[in-house]
Amino acid sequence: MTPISDLKKANIEILTDRAELYPYAYDTAPVKDNVILPKIAAFPKSSEEVAKIVQVANKYGMKIISRGSGTCHTSGCKPVENSIVVHFSKMNRILEINKENLTAIVYPGVIVGQLQKAVDRFGLFFPPDPSNLKVSTIGGGISLSSGGPRAFKYGTMKDYVINLEVVLADGTIIETGKNVAKNVTGYNLTNLFTGSEGTLGIITKATLKLITKPESKSLTMAYFNSLEDSAQAVNNIINSLITPSTIDLIDKNTIDTIEKFNPQGWLSKEGMLMIELDGSKEDVEAKTEKLKTILKNSNAENIIQAKTEEEAEKIWMARRSAYACCTKLKPNVITEDIVVPRENIVQITKEIKKLCKENNLTVCIMGHAGDGNIHPNFPVDFRDKDEVKRLNTVKDKLFELAIQYNGTLSGEHGIGYEKKQYLNMALDKGAYEYMKKIKKVFDPNNILNPELMF
């Protein structure tokens, strides 16, 4: 018997041809070394089939790589030698939307944007808002506890995961909690698996919290001649007791790059804030007027209000295109993800720009200013060995700066393969050692995403 024959016998859909396996050797992270193809790509339709795949992997000493849409920026879906990629495109159904309980039960392959549209028809709202929400899966979002622009007001994915069904490293299927809003019965295994990047178990079903849909929303763009004024405006907004659903900061390089490849008529200023308010119609209208006054008093040079929901969506789509626009500057783009206290955003942004200037690198910076999550995008050419060397110098210093400014390595992209060498630098030594022990408890043979994190 072979793993292929065992999986075929269990009627699990698989791919084994070398040419067919190539798409599963990559994720969004640029490939820097030799490509490793998985031995098998498997497409389960149920948790029982996932459990069978894990049992086969154990039987033949193989590794398991869980994969959603492959949009991870840290090589989180990178296959290793003798591995099976478990792809969740066939487990993509919304199983239940419960308006009374304000919950949804979904398979991990459900696309975030599709879930948002589905619950919207019930007058409900699922706030997690990754930039790639049209392709990003729920399973991937839970594995990374991803966030997005709305995290400042609404939190990240971890705040909406109530219960999980998980297949463990030996093929056992467990439930981490119950489908109730409040639960302090035993250890919080749901939160343990959320953000674990597929290293502790394989998520096969999720119960998610929903909230009622805000009645109204408005989007305001404000341009500034300095990053300092931009950041001070953020503080002034928050100190005035306004809680926007989003406050995104975009630097001049990002604005200019979007304008070059996806023209919007945006102004070439040092900083731009995109501020969205939501709530009742009366509250949004009143706070939008108050917001404009605050922005004027914070030295905003230009203030532009989206007139319709369609116009606002067009602006957000342009913002979401920033990474794609950067890919037109150079063949490769490294997008990073650090978090610092909000008070340190301007200083660390200046340090990043200075660092890139010293190393002759282009950087386009944007971030979720409300929660201190900064995304520097570095367009580079991996064929240029000297440029790669300079990039690595900047990345090393970037993570040192994040920690120096009381921050950490990631707010939503995760650690994956790319950042694992920096993890012990960012964590308390005791916490780091106990994390490794937790991995050993749940995955003693190290078969689940074995090269991530540690």
Side-chain angles (χ1 to χ4, degrees):
M1 298 290 285
T2 66
I4 293 173
S5 62
D6 278 9
L7 292 173
K8 285 183 175 179
K9 186 178 178 181
N11 294 318
I12 296 171
E13 184 178 336
I14 61 172
L15 295 175
T16 57
D17 182 81
R18 184 176 177 84
E20 292 177 319
L21 291 172
Y22 259 100
Y24 307 99
Y26 306 87
D27 60 12
T28 302
V31 178
K32 304 172 187 174
D33 45 25
N34 293 332
V35 173
I36 298 174
L37 268 64
K39 291 287 185 185
I40 302 168
F43 302 84
K45 298 181 180 69
S46 67
S47 54
E48 289 75 20
E49 288 193 1
V50 174
K52 180 62 180 179
I53 294 167
V54 173
Q55 290 161 8
V56 169
N58 277 295
K59 179 179 176 180
Y60 293 98
M62 301 181 75
K63 309 298 184 182
I64 296 285
I65 310 298
S66 300
R67 184 183 177 98
S69 295
T71 58
C72 184
H73 289 286
T74 60
S75 293
C77 304
K78 183 177 179 179
V80 297
E81 295 290 350
N82 198 31
S83 61
I84 303 173
V85 166
V86 181
H87 196 281
F88 286 98
S89 56
K90 304 293 184 181
M91 294 179 67
N92 62 352
R93 287 191 296 124
I94 299 171
L95 302 173
E96 176 185 289
I97 296 173
N98 191 312
K99 191 170 183 179
E100 184 175 4
N101 292 337
L102 292 177
T103 58
I105 301 176
V106 303
Y107 277 149
V110 170
I111 303 299
V112 174
Q114 291 175 345
L115 177 62
Q116 290 178 339
K117 287 182 179 178
V119 303
D120 182 77
R121 292 193 288 269
F122 291 83
L124 301 176
F125 184 38
F126 183 66
D129 186 40
S131 291
N132 53 7
L133 62 86
K134 289 192 175 182
V135 292
S136 179
T137 62
I138 292 294
I142 294 172
S143 294
L144 294 170
S145 191
S146 56
R150 294 193 190 118
F152 172 63
K153 180 175 182 178
Y154 290 108
T156 63
M157 188 70 81
K158 66 178 172 58
D159 300 300
Y160 296 88
V161 181
I162 294 173
N163 187 17
L164 294 172
E165 179 186 79
V166 178
V167 175
L168 300 180
D170 63 355
T172 303
I173 302 173
I174 69 166
E175 232 185 326
T176 61
K178 290 292 181 182
N179 295 350
V180 292
K182 297 168 74 174
N183 184 0
V184 290
T185 309
Y187 293 130
N188 193 335
L189 293 180
T190 304
N191 273 9
L192 180 61
F193 283 98
T194 302
S196 65
E197 302 189 35
T199 61
L200 303 180
I202 303 172
I203 296 164
T204 53
K205 193 184 297 181
T207 303
L208 304 172
K209 180 177 79 172
L210 307 174
I211 62 175
T212 54
K213 181 183 175 181
E215 178 189 1
S216 180
K217 59 184 178 180
S218 71
L219 176 63
T220 304
M221 302 166 69
Y223 294 91
F224 297 85
N225 285 328
S226 73
L227 287 173
E228 288 90 344
D229 283 346
S230 304
Q232 187 56 52
V234 173
N235 289 334
N236 292 345
I237 292 165
I238 295 170
N239 290 339
S240 70
L241 303 182
I242 293 177
T243 305
S245 55
T246 64
I247 316 180
D248 259 26
L249 172 64
I250 303 175
D251 80 339
K252 186 176 186 298
N253 276 1
T254 304
I255 294 171
D256 292 346
T257 301
I258 291 173
E259 278 300 300
K260 184 175 182 179
F261 298 109
N262 184 16
Q264 302 293 316
W266 290 1
L267 305 179
S268 183
K269 298 289 186 179
E270 289 301 315
M272 178 179 80
L273 293 179
M274 292 175 60
I275 308 143
E276 189 166 85
L277 304 176
D278 65 5
S280 70
K281 191 172 185 294
E282 294 78 9
D283 189 49
V284 168
E285 288 175 353
K287 286 184 176 175
T288 297
E289 292 307 310
K290 184 178 180 181
L291 171 65
K292 290 177 181 177
T293 300
I294 294 167
L295 291 170
K296 288 175 185 176
N297 293 337
S298 303
N299 299 323
E301 288 292 309
N302 302 83
I303 301 170
I304 299 171
Q305 184 77 39
K307 296 179 177 62
T308 64
E309 191 171 327
E310 291 73 22
E311 184 180 344
E313 181 58 25
K314 183 182 176 185
I315 292 169
W316 275 118
M317 287 301 295
R319 157 66 179 83
R320 295 181 197 281
S321 76
Y323 174 80
C325 291
C326 285
T327 64
K328 296 189 177 184
L329 297 175
K330 290 282 182 80
N332 310 104
V333 176
I334 297 295
T335 181
E336 284 302 343
D337 162 44
I338 57 173
V339 189
V340 295
R342 194 170 62 243
E343 64 185 1
N344 294 333
I345 288 178
V346 170
Q347 193 55 43
I348 197 170
T349 300
K350 285 186 170 183
E351 295 274 9
I352 294 168
K353 287 178 177 288
K354 178 183 175 184
L355 190 60
C356 288
K357 185 175 182 180
E358 291 171 352
N359 286 275
N360 192 28
L361 288 179
T362 300
V363 63
C364 298
I365 300 176
M366 48 190 182
H368 313 313
D371 53 35
N373 193 187
I374 301 168
H375 296 291
N377 289 319
F378 302 99
V380 294
D381 187 343
F382 284 156
R383 297 169 296 184
D384 185 337
K385 301 303 179 186
D386 182 63
E387 187 169 57
V388 171
K389 184 178 178 180
R390 287 181 275 118
L391 172 68
N392 289 334
T393 298
V394 168
K395 281 182 63 178
D396 289 347
K397 185 62 177 174
L398 173 69
F399 299 132
E400 290 176 12
L401 283 170
I403 293 165
Q404 176 186 325
Y405 282 99
N406 300 316
T408 192
L409 305 180
S410 177
E412 52 193 22
H413 290 177
I415 300 302
Y417 181 82
E418 298 292 325
K419 294 185 183 181
K420 65 178 182 178
Q421 70 189 84
Y422 306 102
L423 189 60
N424 63 350
M425 179 175 76
L427 294 172
D428 172 86
K429 184 178 179 181
Y432 180 73
E433 291 303 319
Y434 268 91
M435 287 182 188
K436 290 197 291 185
K437 290 178 181 179
I438 289 169
K439 167 67 171 172
K440 191 73 174 174
V441 167
F442 280 94
D443 185 15
N445 296 323
N446 195 31
I447 73 164
L448 301 178
N449 276 10
E451 293 190 3
L452 302 195
M453 294 268 202
F454 307 108

